[in-house]
Amino acid sequence: MAVERTLSIIKPDATRRNLTGKINAKFEEAGLRIVAQKRIQLTPAQAGEFYKVHAERPFYGELCEFMASEPVVVQVLEGEGAIAKNREVMGATNPADAAEGTIRAEFAESVGENSVHGSDAPETAAEEIAYFFSGLELVG
């Protein structure tokens, strides 16, 4: 399996409850390394640009408003099969469907406020990482 990088976002519902360390511990326990990280406050326009792939969906406005409501932690995770591993550690989008021990099973408040975001494919990961980080910030 190839070493990959993927974007991870710890969402406002989790940063508000000081869960960043607990969430990052789950990534690290799964063998993923954090090679870039910063805490930022998105504007609604920045959240809208990041999530533009969902612009036609009914939840888009609510998603952008939520993502701009409080700080988030954006980070790049690296490891063998990092994209799939991250998604496995996050769990299903709906916390009711998430496997025991996953981030969303333990920490998500709802389908919308599900504590974390992760890239879904290598192409998406590259685009999402570039949205938040310059090459100089990737120090793995």
Side-chain angles (χ1 to χ4, degrees), residues 28-77:
E28 291 176 336
E29 288 165 7
L32 297 168
R33 285 184 17 173
I34 300 166
V35 298
Q37 182 183 68
K38 56 188 166 186
R39 184 179 178 96
I40 61 172
Q41 176 76 51
L42 292 170
T43 66
Q46 290 167 328
E49 178 63 23
F50 181 76
Y51 284 108
K52 67 184 175 190
V53 66
H54 298 302
E56 300 302 318
R57 296 197 172 167
F59 61 81
Y60 175 72
E62 187 178 329
L63 172 63
C64 295
E65 183 179 313
F66 166 63
M67 291 300 291
S69 68
E70 298 205 32
V72 297
V73 174
V74 293
Q75 55 195 10
V76 179
L77 306 177

Side-chain angles (χ1 to χ4, degrees), residues 6-116:
T6 188
L7 183 80
S8 166
I9 301 176
I10 301 176
K11 294 181 177 181
D13 61 296
T15 62
R16 180 182 69 244
R17 293 178 289 145
N18 289 325
L19 297 174
T20 301
K22 290 179 180 179
I23 290 171
N24 282 338
K26 288 191 169 288
F27 292 135
E28 291 176 336
E29 288 165 7
L32 297 168
R33 285 184 17 173
I34 300 166
V35 298
Q37 182 183 68
K38 56 188 166 186
R39 184 179 178 96
I40 61 172
Q41 176 76 51
L42 292 170
T43 66
Q46 290 167 328
E49 178 63 23
F50 181 76
Y51 284 108
K52 67 184 175 190
V53 66
H54 298 302
E56 300 302 318
R57 296 197 172 167
F59 61 81
Y60 175 72
E62 187 178 329
L63 172 63
C64 295
E65 183 179 313
F66 166 63
M67 291 300 291
S69 68
E70 298 205 32
V72 297
V73 174
V74 293
Q75 55 195 10
V76 179
L77 306 177
E78 180 181 81
E80 289 197 23
I83 295 166
K85 178 62 69 177
N86 179 36
R87 296 185 72 74
E88 177 184 320
V89 173
M90 288 190 310
T93 302
N94 184 341
D97 299 332
E100 187 176 329
T102 62
I103 292 168
R104 288 176 172 151
E106 289 189 30
F107 303 123
E109 296 184 314
S110 67
V111 173
E113 295 187 9
N114 60 19
S115 299
V116 286

